[in-house]
């Protein structure tokens, strides 16, 4: 029983480390999105502008993926904590 | 639920709040955090110079630098909490819990050292337990500032591999 609780705590700790990485990564994706979008808005050349908008949208998609992962992890941690 | 003041202001005053929204988006923590981070170590450097040479100018430099650093520490702390809630969604992970906890300790220890020296400036001239306690408290400020800076660096420049 003790070993089970210990392994559960270790698992929660590991997951919290991943949450920490995600919570730091999300604002970085957001600032990258803003950076590419501002760059796109400041460029007159149509091809380059389109390319930067595409890259900005990719950053936004990354942010969405990370947010989904974060939500999933937070739910999993909450359920593991209730089990403990 | 997170309160996004910028969005609320935008809804209430659509045109007149551009300046206010701009102000809310200024990275205040990044601006204020460098005052205690830079001034505490320099103040403690002057403390050691004062201990070695006993010149009044070193004592005064220590004291004035400590006052400025102590005033800026709570500002830095609260702007940091604001940024944690806004940028990092107030998620309670090890790094943020440590930053808040040690930030509070820094406010207390920094305030204590400054107040102590304000009312008993002769603490450095005496020798005894209190003198040693005062120096240890000052050295602990250095450690706290170093650790808090390390955690802040992790957030800004990324976690180690």
């Amino acid at each position: 029983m003790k070993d089970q609780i210990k392994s559960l705590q270790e698992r929660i700790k590991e997951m919290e480390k991943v949450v920490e990485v995600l919570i730091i990564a999300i604002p970085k994706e957001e600032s990258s999105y803003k950076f590419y979008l501002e760059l796109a808005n400041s460029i007159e050349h149509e091809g380059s502008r389109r390319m930067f908008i595409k890259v900005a949208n990719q950053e936004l998609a990354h942010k969405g993926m990370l947010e989904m992962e974060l939500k999933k992890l937070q739910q999993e941690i909450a359920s593991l904590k209730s089990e403990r | 639920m997170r309160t996004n003041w910028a969005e609320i202001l935008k809804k209430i005053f659509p045109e007149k709040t551009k300046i206010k929204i701009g102000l809310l988006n200024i990275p205040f923590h990044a601006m204020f955090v460098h005052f205690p981070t830079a001034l505490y170590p320099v103040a403690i450097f002057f403390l050691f110079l004062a201990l070695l040479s006993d010149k009044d100018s070193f004592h005064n430099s220590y004291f004035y630098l400590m006052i400025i650093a102590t005033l800026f520490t709570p500002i830095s702390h609260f702007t940091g909490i604001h940024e944690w809630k806004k940028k990092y969604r107030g998620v309670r992970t090890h790094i943020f819990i440590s930053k808040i906890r040690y930030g509070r300790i820094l406010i207390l220890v920094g305030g204590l050292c400054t107040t102590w020296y304000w009312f008993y400036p002769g603490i450095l001239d005496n020798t005894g337990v209190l003198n040693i306690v005062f120096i240890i408290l000052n050295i602990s400020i250095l450690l706290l500032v170093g650790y808090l800076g390390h955690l802040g660096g992790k957030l800004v420049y990324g976690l180690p591999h």
Side-chain angles (χ1 to χ4, degrees), chain B residues 2 6 40 44 46-47 64 85 90 113 116 122 133-134 154 161:
Chain B
R2 281 188 309 128
Y40 274 132
I44 291 151
F46 277 111
L47 171 78
Y64 293 128
K85 284 181 179 167
C113 287
W116 194 343
V133 170
F134 185 74
K154 266 186 177 181
H161 299 290

Side-chain angles (χ1 to χ4, degrees), chain B residues 43-56 58-59 62 117 121-127 131-132 134-136 138-139:
Chain B
I44 291 151
F45 173 69
F46 277 111
L47 171 78
F48 282 105
L49 287 180
L51 284 169
L52 289 172
S53 76
D54 202 32
K55 276 186 183 172
D56 276 349
F58 291 146
H59 284 261
Y62 164 74
Y117 190 81
I123 184 72
L124 292 177
D125 305 328
N126 303 328
T127 48
N131 182 283
I132 293 165
F134 185 74
I135 293 165
I136 288 172
N138 276 281
I139 293 170

Side-chain angles (χ1 to χ4, degrees), chain B residues 31-48 58-76 106 110 113-114 138-139 141-146:
Chain B
M31 285 159 67
F32 289 117
V33 78
H34 292 96
F35 284 88
T37 309
L39 295 180
Y40 274 132
V42 180
I44 291 151
F45 173 69
F46 277 111
L47 171 78
F48 282 105
F58 291 146
H59 284 261
N60 291 339
S61 303
Y62 164 74
F63 180 55
Y64 293 128
L65 287 171
M66 282 298 280
I67 288 178
I68 302 167
T70 305
L71 287 175
F72 274 100
T73 311
I75 301 173
S76 162
L106 182 66
C113 287
T114 311
N138 276 281
I139 293 170
I141 287 178
L142 214 57
L143 297 175
L144 283 167
V145 165

Side-chain angles (χ1 to χ4, degrees), chain A residues 20-21 24-25 28, chain B residues 88 94-96 98-99 147-161:
Chain A
E20 195 157 81
V21 173
I24 294 168
K28 286 188 193 296
Chain B
Y88 300 105
H94 168 73
I95 202 163
F96 298 109
S98 300
K99 258 182 97 64
Y147 185 58
L148 285 165
H150 167 71
L151 293 178
K154 266 186 177 181
L155 288 174
V156 176
Y157 300 110
L159 297 160
H161 299 290

